[in-house]
Amino acid sequence: MDISHAALIVIDMQRGFLDAESSLCIKNAAATVPACAAAIKAARRLSIPVFYVSRAYRADGSDVEHTRRAVWEAGGKPLAPGSTGPCSVEIPAEMAPAPGDYQLIKPRFSAFFATELDLILRRLNIDTILLAGTTTPNCIRTTCYDGVSLDYKVAVITDCCSSNSDEIQQSNLRDMANIGAVLMESADLAEEAR
């Protein structure tokens, strides 16, 4: 895959999805932090723009999906804007945004839905998106499908994505590959950066 016009999209790598104390924790997400950090480092070496597309819910919950509302309320209302701690919007230090990175808040699963991601990518002449983050069946998959629908070439960095089980992970990776997404690993990007 030609990555000369690529952007790395890092989705929802926030403590509210990574920390076991959060009601929204994704079982295997924390284990992907080192691979995500390596992919981000490689992207920066290659001058690939890095986009952090994250969730943040209003304190009153008016923007929480109806399918997640009960878990959100029972779990202490995680991902409040500006929050800190286990249920927060904080990104792990080893993969924190740097000056020049893009940071967007998304209201639903796809990084494209109701955000300015497509506009900025097109302004930067990006035609390829590299996806990392959580969760594979929700945010990665919907962003992949929207990216393909918008005529981007899409690669999923498999060791930088997570699901609550290996069965869910492999099934969703297979489905994305079947619609044309390239499956790669963070080591592939690191090799490009050497």
Side-chain angles (χ1 to χ4, degrees):
M1 172 173 270
D2 179 8
I3 59 169
S4 59
H5 294 281
L8 175 61
I9 315 296
V10 181
I11 301 174
D12 288 348
M13 291 301 287
Q14 304 158 265
R15 288 191 63 195
F17 292 116
L18 302 172
D19 198 300
E21 292 181 45
S22 173
S23 61
L24 300 180
C25 180
I26 304 305
K27 182 179 174 185
N28 297 312
T32 66
V33 170
C36 286
I40 292 164
K41 184 177 180 182
R44 289 180 180 142
R45 277 198 307 254
L46 291 163
S47 299
I48 290 174
V50 178
F51 286 75
Y52 290 83
V53 186
S54 303
R55 293 304 290 267
Y57 293 123
R58 295 179 185 277
D60 67 0
S62 60
D63 57 350
V64 177
E65 306 92 323
H66 70 89
T67 56
R68 185 176 274 169
R69 181 74 185 233
V71 171
W72 179 80
E73 286 178 344
K77 302 181 178 180
L79 300 175
S83 58
T84 59
C87 297
S88 74
V89 295
E90 292 178 311
I91 295 169
E94 58 267 45
M95 55 179 290
D101 291 342
Y102 296 85
Q103 296 184 63
L104 305 173
I105 301 295
K106 63 184 177 63
R108 289 293 182 261
F109 297 124
S110 174
F112 287 104
F113 181 81
T115 72
E116 64 234 312
L117 180 61
D118 183 49
L119 172 67
I120 297 170
L121 292 175
R122 292 189 192 283
R123 290 273 174 94
L124 296 174
N125 294 313
I126 300 297
D127 65 8
T128 302
I129 56 172
L130 313 174
L131 301 180
T134 198
T135 69
T136 303
N138 296 338
C139 303
I140 299 299
R141 184 176 171 143
T142 58
T143 301
C144 171
Y145 277 65
D146 283 353
V148 169
S149 296
L150 290 165
D151 285 329
Y152 289 98
K153 294 173 218 140
V154 178
V156 178
I157 308 175
T158 59
D159 59 328
C160 292
C161 299
S162 58
S163 301
N164 278 318
S165 76
D166 189 56
E167 178 185 3
I168 293 169
Q169 180 77 355
Q170 296 310 315
S171 176
N172 280 275
L173 291 174
R174 241 185 339 270
D175 282 350
M176 289 185 283
N178 285 338
I179 64 145
V182 171
L183 303 182
M184 62 185 290
E185 294 187 2
S186 58
D188 300 326
L189 194 56
E191 185 62 32
E192 290 278 340
R194 289 179 195 227

